[in-house]
Amino acid sequence: MENTNNNPFLPHTEKDRRAMLEEIDRKSIDELFEDIPLSVKLNKDLELPEALSEMEVKKHLKKIAEKNKNIDEYISFLGGGIYDHYVPSVVGHVLGRSEFYTSYTPYQAEISQGILQSMFEYQTMIAELTGMDLSNASIYDGATATAEAAIRAVAITRNDEIIVSSALNPTYREVLKTYLEAQGFTLRTLPQSNGETDMSYLPDMLNENTACVILQSPNYFGIIEDYSKLKDILGESKALFVSVVDPISLALLEPPSTWGADIVVGDGQSLGNPTSFGGPLLGFFAAKEKYMRKMPGRMVGEAKDKDSNTGYVLTLQTREQHIRREKATSNICSNQALNVLAACVYLSVMGKEGIKEVANLSLQKAHYAKRKLKELDNVTIMFDDKPFFKEFLIKVPGKASEVRDALAQKGIFAGIDVGAYYEELDGCLLLSVTEKRTKEEIDYLVSSLGEVIK
Amino acid sequence: MVRTRPDLSYTKEHEWVKVEDGKAYVGITYYAQEQLGDIVFVELPEVDDDFSRDEEVCVVESVKAVADIYAPISGTIEEVNEKLLDNPEIVNSDPYGEGWLFMMSISDEGELNDLLTAEEYEKILEEEGEG
């Protein structure tokens, strides 16, 4: 194929190309690639439309983008791990500063005190929130954080069986399965009954090969799990307790450290990050101090220089990125610095009282929504007697996905069809209510649902 | 500080072995700790873990480098020097005494004969240009 076009996106002129070919003693581009058999070459032009002007491209793309329905236009009751909490405008302003924005994954973080300080502050706040000794400077998302916690438990205990609650977010379980299967570890699932992890199975499942038990609270169905018997069950076992949490809930609930958690993980998206169609997210990872050396990712520490000025430094970086990469136990060598910054700004702006208010409003509104939905004929509140935080399950007549789609026609994202993950919960929708939902919006959901299922 | 002690056996990888009541104490040599510099962390093995000779047992980390410690002989870990978890610098200050890393059973007495004497080890150091 003779390449003679003067494409403005390619930096080389025809003259450049000729000079390069001459240098390597080739007459044409085709000759350069003659080792590639004709049969596998594309012997025609690419099927591309005619070029458009910038104005036309913008118009075209806008039209495509408008096919997406978003939570600015729709009333969202979506949750299941990613939540529509309010993001104060200051978060965007700080994030947008070029010093932070352009170094979103700062491989040479050690040169920037500002970024290091933001990570340090973030770590401190996550450690406080979870009640753990320390936190790393983040990893990809809650699902990978959970999988990493399991791998750490394997390394720490030298056992290779992981017990996971079936009430853990099913997408997290998928990631966990991928990680563990690839490394030849065993994943065993604790069944749920009545929306809660059924701890009665744990004593029998626990054995000398158990590396950890992974439990989520509030769990995937929003139910606050009862951990009070866990310590007794684990007893002398070497198995670690990995706790998956919603950071917002920790403003009201006891931190998992109370129940003896060894590692606490979760998604920090709800702390000042938008829902963004599922990503980027923010995985947090906090642990007891004795596991510091086994933590994935990086950790920023505070130090003093010789003149006693405070300085921030990358104190620990596991082997993923630099030395002894062959010994790495994780493939995560970066962190979510910009999302960390969002969480850091969010937590500082909200303060202890602010985040408590976010949690409390979410809880109150979710409970109001549940009460109102209960009044509807044909709607069943699942696990009605269980304490829940900001999410709950309802069973609707017919197909949950059809009800969901019908509500979308009315401008409502009515939650997740959980039948896709749990056969036994076919016909159920998982609804999430944050502080952003107004009474009118909740009432509108209830009346709309009433109409749809009539 | 003495560089080698005549009553110990050595490996080419700079570990020393001391046999006492049928058990082997293992540490790193004076030369090894000097090369590593300030030791900041020792990752000890688990008691009851089995190792064959030359298998990686644990890790010693200094401000400059991370070094793997290999099993000088085959056996089972019977005791680890837990003092090092909080005070890893003992390895620098007393590598042949308080700075021992772990103690293991000896599954094959014959393997002890393959270890180096202090004299042989000194020779290796000299060959490495450190004499």
Side-chain angles (χ1 to χ4, degrees), chain A residues 293, chain B residues 28-30 32-43 59-65 67 69 84 86-93 95 99 101:
Chain A
R293 294 270 171 176
Chain B
I28 62 171
T29 64
Y30 177 79
Q33 64 77 30
E34 200 179 46
Q35 288 294 302
L36 282 166
D38 291 340
I39 287 164
V40 290
F41 179 63
V42 179
E43 187 193 303
V59 172
V60 174
E61 198 175 315
S62 75
V63 289
K64 285 198 286 192
I69 308 301
L84 302 181
D86 289 326
N87 302 96
E89 66 279 3
I90 301 174
V91 177
N92 289 119
S93 58
L101 301 176

Side-chain angles (χ1 to χ4, degrees), chain A residues 39-323:
Chain A
S39 59
V40 299
K41 276 189 189 169
L42 184 70
N43 293 304
K44 57 177 185 180
D45 287 335
L46 287 173
E47 284 170 29
L48 291 174
E50 286 297 303
L52 298 176
S53 70
E54 180 179 314
M55 205 169 75
E56 287 167 327
V57 170
K58 265 193 174 168
K59 216 170 168 183
H60 179 64
L61 290 177
K62 190 162 175 276
K63 224 166 146 186
I64 296 174
E66 274 165 5
K67 286 186 186 168
N68 289 326
K69 305 303 170 206
N70 63 66
I71 55 173
D72 290 331
E73 296 166 31
Y74 281 56
I75 305 165
S76 173
F77 292 94
L78 292 171
I82 298 173
Y83 302 100
D84 183 27
H85 284 290
Y86 183 67
V87 181
S89 60
V90 61
V91 173
H93 285 284
V94 177
L95 247 57
R97 290 189 62 102
S98 57
E99 306 91 303
F100 289 123
Y101 207 72
T102 56
S103 54
Y104 67 99
T105 172
Y107 284 101
Q108 287 183 312
E110 45 279 278
I111 63 174
S112 164
Q113 282 295 300
I115 282 174
L116 289 173
Q117 185 180 354
S118 70
M119 289 181 187
F120 179 78
E121 307 281 0
Y122 159 86
Q123 289 173 186
T124 308
M125 288 188 276
I126 291 293
E128 250 180 61
L129 207 52
T130 54
M132 300 309 277
D133 298 326
L134 36 89
S135 148
N136 75 4
S138 80
I139 45 186
Y140 303 143
D141 54 25
T144 43
T146 307
E148 288 286 340
I151 302 288
R152 297 310 122 162
V154 167
I156 291 163
T157 60
R158 296 174 197 231
N159 290 342
D160 60 4
E161 272 188 29
I162 281 100
I163 298 178
V164 63
S165 162
S166 66
L168 170 69
N169 191 320
T171 58
Y172 287 25
R173 279 189 284 132
E174 278 297 308
V175 172
L176 195 57
K177 208 172 130 201
T178 307
Y179 262 68
L180 298 177
E181 275 182 2
Q183 305 202 34
F185 305 139
T186 308
L187 187 62
R188 307 176 70 193
T189 308
L190 255 176
Q192 62 94 8
S193 72
N194 207 13
E196 250 182 332
T197 308
D198 194 337
M199 296 288 213
S200 67
Y201 288 87
L202 190 54
D204 283 338
M205 286 173 74
L206 208 62
N207 63 43
E208 56 191 13
N209 294 321
T210 312
C212 66
V213 180
I214 305 176
L215 302 170
Q216 182 181 19
S217 181
N219 67 24
Y220 185 65
F221 313 118
I223 292 167
I224 299 161
E225 296 243 341
D226 178 9
Y227 288 157
S228 57
K229 292 191 189 87
L230 184 66
K231 252 188 203 162
D232 289 339
I233 300 174
L234 290 182
E236 294 294 297
S237 161
K238 260 166 70 181
L240 305 190
F241 168 26
V242 175
S243 170
V244 183
V245 293
D246 169 354
I248 297 280
S249 76
L250 295 180
L252 290 181
L253 302 174
E254 291 271 15
S257 53
T258 315
W259 315 110
D262 294 285
I263 301 175
V264 180
V265 292
D267 210 298
Q269 173 274 327
S270 48
L271 307 172
N273 288 277
T275 50
S276 317
F277 202 58
L281 299 173
L282 166 61
F284 62 84
F285 191 114
K288 286 183 180 167
E289 192 179 351
K290 60 177 167 180
Y291 306 130
M292 177 170 67
R293 294 270 171 176
K294 302 272 187 199
M295 278 169 85
R298 37 172 67 172
M299 236 177 292
V300 176
E302 193 181 54
K304 297 267 183 228
D305 71 5
K306 67 177 165 71
D307 302 320
S308 296
N309 298 314
T310 301
Y312 297 94
V313 286
L314 272 185
T315 305
L316 280 176
Q317 244 180 132
T318 37
R319 294 161 187 152
E320 283 68 69
Q321 201 170 351
H322 304 301
I323 50 168

Side-chain angles (χ1 to χ4, degrees), chain A residues 343-362:
Chain A
C344 186
V345 176
Y346 177 84
L347 287 169
S348 335
V349 169
M350 302 307 279
K352 278 185 182 158
E353 289 309 312
I355 186 174
K356 231 181 244 174
E357 209 173 311
V358 169
N360 197 28
L361 280 172
S362 303

Side-chain angles (χ1 to χ4, degrees), chain A residues 15-57:
Chain A
K15 207 175 141 196
D16 293 335
R17 289 189 205 112
R18 268 205 310 274
M20 285 190 282
L21 285 169
E22 216 165 276
E23 184 66 33
I24 55 172
D25 210 14
R26 293 289 183 282
K27 287 194 179 61
S28 66
I29 299 278
D30 279 348
E31 199 188 318
L32 181 64
F33 293 120
E34 70 186 358
D35 292 337
I36 302 171
L38 260 179
S39 59
V40 299
K41 276 189 189 169
L42 184 70
N43 293 304
K44 57 177 185 180
D45 287 335
L46 287 173
E47 284 170 29
L48 291 174
E50 286 297 303
L52 298 176
S53 70
E54 180 179 314
M55 205 169 75
E56 287 167 327
V57 170

